[in-house]
Amino acid sequence: MNEQYEIIRFDSDVPMKLRCIYLENMQSHWHRGMEIILVLSGKVDIVHGGDISHMSDDDIIVINERTIHSLSSANGCTLVSLQIDTTELFNSRESDEYFICDSSQDNDKGKFYSLKRMIAELVKTNSNENVDNHYYNMSMLYAIYSEMCKNFISNIKSRPATQKYFTRLTSIVDYIESHYRDGITLSDLAENQHLTVPYLSSFIEKYLGVSFLSYYNELRLEHATAEMLSSDRSIENIAYSNGFSDPRSFVNLFKKKYGVLPSTYRKEHKAPPADDNDELSYQISPDHHGLSRDSNLALLAKYLSPPEKADESVRSFSDTEKIIVKENISTAKVKRALRHTFKTFTSVGRAKELLYADVQKMLAELQKDVGYEYIKFHGLLSDDMLVYEEDDAGNAHYSFVFIDKVIDFLQSIDLKPLIEFSFMPRALAANDSRMVYSSPFYIGMPKDMKKWTALIGALMEHLIDRYGVRTVRTWLFCVWNEPDTSTSMFGFERDEDFYSLYIETFNTVKGINRAFRFGSPSLIVTYNANRRWLVKFISWCKENDCVPDFMNIHFYDNDFSDDSLQQHRPAHPAHGRLNMDPDSFKKCISHTKAVFSDLGIGELPIYLTEWNLTVSHRNLLNDTCFKSCYFAKNLLENYDMLDSFGYWVLTDMIEETQPSSEQFHGGLGLFTHEGIKKPHYFIFKFINRLGSRLIDDGDGYFTAKSHGKIQIILYNYEHFNHLFAAGETYDMTFTKRYTPFSKLGRMSVSLELTDINAKTCKITEHIVNQQNGSAFDEWARMGAPEFDKNLIDYLRRECVPKISVKNKTVDGGKLLVSAELDPLEVRLVEIEY
């Protein structure tokens, strides 16, 4: 008899063993756990319980508990083996079910799909060793068992011929596994089982297929090897703790099995730790050879998606296809160095919002993911910060407590402030009837310029005392926001009034320390609007020796050609007119830099501290994948052309308008007011992964490199139609938001990279599109349900970019990167070699 009991150790928490293996032959054996075998490639004959199954690609079979079986493959095969300890799964209740599941002998192939898919998901999830998958694995085991009971259970309660010996054999194995650390002998086991030593020795060899000592040594060796790779304990201590009375016997056994000393094996295999637990594992023996994770996942990928069927929640794509082909992109060449100036600025609406725990949490997460240098916000001196009061006698009283709280928090996450001296405290305002926004800012001149400059001076001295002059010198300063707009927004009755406010503030700050960097006020620029105010202001500054140290600009892709700049920032319901030109941002940058050069200030840093598609808080595209593709296109096509690209704004929880009760109301933020990330949040994470040297760029792609790595960002951009640009939403609805795009065609990309000094590489893709990383689209597919905590938590957790990993061969230094992008998709491709 050549039947063998297979050594299967189940994890104490999750009773399963999952393996991807290459197999040629496996002799007859049996085990307590049931086994599901899925053939990925090749052919294999499986003899089980007197039957034979001829298995090939995509076939799946269940081997019931304690069923003698063997496997034989003439040319080798690749398979997944899932072994489940049903006794542990059902809390020591012995399973009575018997299953007939053999796709090689069943014409109805469809009923096996769900079982294959669940196994594929188990393999994929457990390929990540750094994630605790306990609860996921347990739920999947129950789901798998439920699926088998639903479709494959048999009324026949069949048991193998060894049934009458099973109880005794189980008792023997349990005792050995429970006492393997104690250095037990065959005599100890015989005494425990109330059997004679000769009978027990014969019984073990007959039903386990090996001698007691061989089985015991294999078990101890397996445990010791796992501990050796997962701890820093000495080889000697590991040997003792795993039942070896002499470390030399452990070393000899180990060398006999693996061909090297334990110390050598540990050096070669310790990273990552190899533990035979519930994670994906590989058995290496003369008949089992380890496979790379990537090859296994590639073979399993077809099971991870359901059979093709129409998805009515997703708009169908057109047959139109954009084709991008670029050959001979030499990775040895550098087009230019990259400064990554998009990381210079981030933003929050107003200083007060930085006191909110929710905003702090969102900003800290963004800062962790990207790592900005400065932050822009308004309203440091506004009444909601309680900075300035006057008593009945007109004496000023200052409180910088809330300002300190704001800056302390920013320092805690390594952000430096742009100190914008705005807006006018009501007690100091010459006209306290001029206000903007729902939570008002007071606009206009101070009633007493000396009191204003005294406030600025006192605040500057306080900041120096609290944070030190060396720290404050690293900050940026300016006064006011968009004085180039009309008096219905932030503008002044006369330009000269603002000039006075500017120079008095400039001189106050510079009078304390000339090294402090004082910039222009925030100025809104657009390529098709009048630059009269800008030109006049800079000319005046040059005449009065108060030229700013940097230029501080805003850009919104609204169409201000009809002078709507003078009453911009429509709140709702209409989104306002947008630029029909998809290259308006590029043209604006070019035009602005030309104007600055003509004015003789071309050498000054140009900080774009506010940038968005629109000034409207109710543009429904703001929540969609269009926004992510818009920023990928415009940022990459103008990369480093300015000294910052500050996205406005962090979150929809901004107090410019009354907050909407709708989660996806078309707000400007990277987050919704409940902290759900929008698709464009991930684009900044993608771009943050770019290396420091540009290799090549063009329509729809941007390629950079760092040491041993290449990064490619692909984007399939489509501009909205002219109706939408003109302010006409037409057939757009609250949940149907992609109607302004007429084509929605896919994009085929083929980039040939050359001069890669490697034979193979690992390619990781991160994808944001309507199916991945878009919380709005996921919510719409769900039927736009009412929001509650569970739904918010679900969208926060699940709406992230899709990630795929594969290995690819480099042929003669050449690597072809091909991709098919969905409409408005952005994809980061990372190549590591």
Side-chain angles (χ1 to χ4, degrees):
M1 180 180 258
N2 192 29
E3 301 156 4
Q4 294 188 8
Y5 177 89
E6 185 176 354
I7 300 174
I8 303 175
R9 288 195 305 105
F10 294 97
D11 183 78
S12 58
D13 293 326
V14 181
M16 77 173 188
K17 184 173 182 178
L18 183 60
R19 300 180 296 169
C20 291
I21 55 179
Y22 175 80
L23 177 142
E24 292 176 353
N25 293 286
M26 180 178 287
Q27 58 189 336
S28 295
H29 64 286
W30 63 279
H31 39 72
R32 285 185 299 173
M34 65 177 296
E35 182 176 14
I36 305 173
I37 298 172
L38 172 59
V39 181
L40 299 180
S41 64
K43 296 181 179 181
V44 59
D45 294 334
I46 301 179
V47 178
H48 54 102
D51 298 324
I52 183 169
S53 297
H54 304 289
M55 314 286 289
S56 58
D57 295 6
D58 297 332
D59 276 331
I60 189 169
I61 189 171
V62 172
I63 306 297
N64 287 279
E65 298 180 21
R66 295 162 285 174
T67 298
I68 300 168
H69 58 287
S70 63
L71 296 86
S72 176
S73 178
N75 298 311
C77 67
T78 302
L79 54 84
V80 174
S81 168
L82 172 63
Q83 296 160 345
I84 304 173
D85 186 347
T86 54
T87 301
E88 289 295 326
L89 186 63
F90 297 112
N91 297 320
S92 300
R93 176 181 70 82
E94 184 177 330
S95 173
D96 293 324
E97 288 79 16
Y98 186 81
F99 301 101
I100 299 178
C101 176
D102 183 352
S103 66
S104 70
Q105 300 185 26
D106 196 318
N107 292 327
D108 183 6
K109 305 298 183 181
K111 69 179 182 181
F112 298 94
Y113 182 84
S114 293
L115 190 58
K116 295 176 184 178
R117 177 181 54 79
M118 286 187 280
I119 293 173
E121 289 176 352
L122 267 179
V123 173
K124 180 180 179 181
T125 300
N126 285 278
S127 64
N128 187 345
E129 293 136 330
N130 298 319
V131 176
D132 182 1
N133 298 312
H134 170 80
Y135 294 109
Y136 172 85
N137 287 332
M138 290 299 294
S139 67
M140 286 299 293
L141 290 184
Y142 285 118
I144 287 170
Y145 206 85
S146 174
E147 176 67 18
M148 292 195 301
C149 289
K150 177 182 177 181
N151 288 316
F152 306 110
I153 196 164
S154 171
N155 294 325
I156 302 173
K157 302 296 182 181
S158 177
R159 287 288 179 255
T162 53
Q163 171 62 38
K164 62 180 180 179
Y165 299 112
F166 177 76
T167 302
R168 175 172 291 171
L169 189 59
T170 301
S171 177
I172 291 171
V173 171
D174 285 346
Y175 182 86
I176 297 174
E177 292 185 351
S178 298
H179 296 83
Y180 77 93
R181 295 180 184 273
D182 302 333
I184 59 174
T185 64
L186 184 62
S187 297
D188 296 331
L189 180 60
E191 181 179 354
N192 174 266
Q193 298 294 314
H194 307 291
L195 299 171
T196 65
V197 171
Y199 178 81
L200 178 60
S201 177
S202 175
F203 183 89
I204 290 175
E205 288 198 27
K206 181 177 182 179
Y207 291 107
L208 288 183
V210 294
S211 67
F212 163 76
L213 186 59
S214 295
Y215 179 86
Y216 184 39
N217 282 341
E218 181 69 19
L219 184 66
R220 290 186 295 178
L221 190 62
E222 189 176 2
H223 280 281
T225 302
E227 184 177 354
M228 184 176 69
L229 297 179
S230 62
S231 76
D232 294 321
R233 298 183 66 198
S234 68
I235 301 297
E236 183 179 14
N237 287 336
I238 289 173
Y240 284 131
S241 67
N242 284 280
F244 292 95
S245 59
D246 184 353
R248 287 177 295 180
S249 62
F250 166 64
V251 172
N252 290 336
L253 280 171
F254 191 95
K255 188 174 181 181
K256 183 178 179 181
K257 179 173 183 178
Y258 294 104
V260 294
L261 292 172
S263 57
T264 303
Y265 187 90
R266 174 186 252 179
K267 290 178 181 178
E268 295 175 349
H269 295 83
K270 188 166 184 183
D275 191 14
D276 188 10
N277 52 22
D278 59 307
E279 296 174 348
L280 189 62
S281 61
Y282 307 95
Q283 179 173 335
I284 303 176
S285 71
D287 294 327
H288 293 68
H289 305 287
L291 293 172
S292 71
R293 297 181 187 276
D294 294 328
S295 61
N296 291 327
L297 294 181
L299 292 170
L300 285 167
K302 58 187 173 184
Y303 303 120
L304 295 175
S305 300
E308 292 186 8
K309 60 181 180 179
D311 187 348
E312 296 179 357
S313 66
V314 180
R315 176 180 166 183
S316 60
F317 304 147
S318 73
D319 294 331
T320 303
E321 185 177 65
K322 183 191 300 182
I323 299 176
I324 305 294
V325 177
K326 184 66 181 291
E327 297 179 346
N328 195 28
I329 301 175
S330 174
T331 60
K333 296 180 179 180
V334 176
K335 199 170 184 179
R336 60 183 169 91
L338 300 177
R339 297 184 294 141
H340 306 303
T341 59
F342 82 95
K343 298 173 61 174
T344 306
F345 265 97
T346 187
S347 66
V348 168
R350 61 177 67 197
K352 177 192 172 186
E353 293 163 12
L354 286 165
L355 301 176
Y356 298 155
D358 287 348
V359 173
Q360 290 185 356
K361 181 179 179 181
M362 287 182 254
L363 182 58
E365 184 171 8
L366 176 65
Q367 180 67 351
K368 179 181 177 182
D369 284 343
V370 180
Y372 292 91
E373 184 178 5
Y374 292 99
I375 184 168
K376 160 74 172 290
F377 51 87
H378 302 302
L380 192 69
L381 304 179
S382 298
D383 280 10
D384 53 13
M385 293 294 288
L386 303 178
V387 170
Y388 184 90
E389 289 182 355
E390 291 185 4
D391 59 25
D392 292 339
N395 299 310
H397 299 276
Y398 311 136
S399 174
F400 304 129
V401 173
F402 287 162
I403 292 178
D404 293 341
K405 294 291 185 182
V406 165
I407 297 178
D408 287 351
F409 167 68
L410 295 178
Q411 288 206 316
S412 74
I413 59 172
D414 200 26
L415 270 174
K416 293 180 284 190
L418 165 59
I419 300 294
E420 179 190 277
F421 297 111
S422 69
F423 288 95
M424 195 60 61
R426 183 177 185 182
L428 190 53
N431 179 359
D432 64 1
S433 65
R434 281 199 59 200
M435 297 173 288
V436 295
Y437 297 146
S438 298
S439 181
F441 290 147
Y442 289 90
I443 305 301
M445 293 292 288
K447 63 185 180 183
D448 187 333
M449 186 63 75
K450 290 183 179 180
K451 287 186 175 181
W452 169 262
T453 56
L455 170 61
I456 301 304
L459 175 57
M460 291 299 300
E461 295 291 351
H462 172 79
L463 295 176
I464 293 169
D465 290 342
R466 184 175 179 86
Y467 301 103
V469 67
R470 292 181 63 183
T471 295
V472 176
R473 283 177 61 181
T474 66
W475 300 352
L476 301 175
F477 299 87
C478 71
V479 61
W480 220 252
N481 178 64
E482 298 178 355
D484 52 343
T485 57
S486 73
T487 54
S488 65
M489 290 300 297
F490 304 103
F492 290 73
E493 294 289 342
R494 300 182 311 126
D495 291 341
E496 289 72 21
D497 289 341
F498 175 75
Y499 297 166
S500 175
L501 182 68
Y502 172 83
I503 196 170
E504 291 292 340
T505 311
F506 179 96
N507 287 336
T508 300
V509 173
K510 292 287 189 176
I512 295 172
N513 192 314
R514 293 294 300 178
F516 291 156
R517 289 177 290 171
F518 196 98
S520 74
S522 300
L523 303 173
I524 190 163
V525 297
T526 176
Y527 85 98
N528 57 2
N530 195 319
R531 302 298 179 91
R532 181 199 60 81
W533 198 99
L534 170 63
V535 172
K536 183 179 176 183
F537 170 70
I538 295 298
S539 298
W540 180 88
C541 288
K542 296 176 73 173
E543 292 172 1
N544 291 274
D545 195 25
C546 56
V547 174
D549 296 315
F550 59 88
M551 297 304 297
N552 175 8
I553 64 173
H554 298 171
F555 177 84
Y556 295 89
D557 223 343
N558 291 92
D559 182 358
F560 295 125
S561 59
D562 60 351
D563 289 330
S564 59
L565 174 60
Q566 297 304 310
Q567 61 263 357
H568 81 290
R569 296 186 187 277
H572 59 81
H575 63 259
R577 292 179 59 180
L578 298 173
N579 278 309
M580 297 181 184
D581 187 346
D583 296 319
S584 59
F585 183 55
K586 178 184 294 186
K587 293 176 180 178
C588 180
I589 291 176
S590 178
H591 189 189
T592 300
K593 295 181 74 172
V595 170
F596 288 171
S597 179
D598 290 343
L599 290 171
I601 57 171
E603 77 286 356
L604 294 182
I606 304 174
Y607 295 129
L608 179 61
T609 57
E610 285 187 29
W611 174 32
N612 212 311
L613 167 70
T614 174
V615 297
S616 172
H617 295 270
R618 296 296 186 272
N619 187 316
L620 295 183
L621 288 185
N622 282 334
D623 302 321
T624 69
C625 286
F626 167 77
K627 194 73 169 289
S628 54
C629 203
Y630 171 87
F631 279 100
K633 171 196 183 307
N634 284 286
L635 184 52
L636 295 174
E637 289 183 357
N638 300 282
Y639 208 76
D640 288 347
M641 297 303 291
L642 300 173
D643 296 290
S644 78
F645 293 80
Y647 178 86
W648 183 266
V649 64
L650 175 73
T651 170
D652 289 348
M653 193 160 68
I654 177 173
E655 297 178 8
E656 290 186 357
T657 63
Q658 184 181 39
S660 171
S661 59
E662 297 286 352
Q663 192 73 212
F664 297 116
H665 60 266
L668 295 173
L670 293 168
F671 293 86
T672 70
H673 55 68
E674 289 289 354
I676 300 172
K677 296 184 182 75
K678 300 183 186 181
H680 43 294
Y681 178 97
F682 302 108
I683 302 313
F684 291 97
K685 288 187 66 176
F686 286 6
I687 295 176
N688 192 44
R689 300 180 75 95
L690 291 173
S692 59
R693 290 164 291 175
L694 175 65
I695 298 174
D696 194 29
D697 59 339
D699 183 22
Y701 73 94
F702 189 98
T703 306
K705 68 176 180 178
S706 53
H707 181 69
K709 296 180 180 179
I710 297 171
Q711 306 84 28
I712 304 172
I713 296 182
L714 308 172
Y715 51 95
N716 183 12
Y717 182 78
E718 180 181 349
H719 206 56
F720 36 76
N721 60 37
H722 285 198
L723 279 177
F724 188 80
E728 176 55 66
T729 56
Y730 199 49
D731 55 344
M732 176 187 275
T733 68
F734 198 79
T735 57
K736 188 180 177 182
R737 301 192 183 184
Y738 292 98
T739 58
F741 305 96
S742 57
K743 295 180 180 178
L744 284 184
R746 290 185 170 90
M747 182 174 80
S748 176
V749 181
S750 178
L751 303 178
E752 181 192 54
L753 303 180
T754 62
D755 300 318
I756 297 177
N757 187 23
K759 294 182 179 179
T760 61
C761 61
K762 182 175 77 172
I763 300 178
T764 304
E765 295 188 341
H766 310 255
I767 299 172
V768 169
N769 55 24
Q770 293 177 49
Q771 287 71 45
N772 304 282
S774 177
F776 161 75
D777 287 294
E778 176 66 14
W779 171 74
R781 278 192 296 273
M782 297 169 70
E786 293 291 326
F787 278 87
D788 58 22
K789 184 179 183 302
N790 290 333
L791 178 57
I792 290 169
D793 289 343
Y794 170 82
L795 293 175
R796 286 174 179 167
R797 181 182 66 252
E798 297 297 327
C799 295
V800 296
K802 178 183 177 181
I803 300 177
S804 64
V805 182
K806 62 183 178 181
N807 286 338
K808 195 167 183 179
T809 301
V810 178
D811 185 10
K814 296 182 178 180
L815 178 68
L816 185 64
V817 178
S818 301
E820 289 282 337
L821 272 66
D822 285 349
L824 304 176
E825 176 177 311
V826 181
R827 183 179 303 197
L828 167 65
V829 181
E830 295 182 292
I831 303 169
E832 185 174 355
Y833 57 92

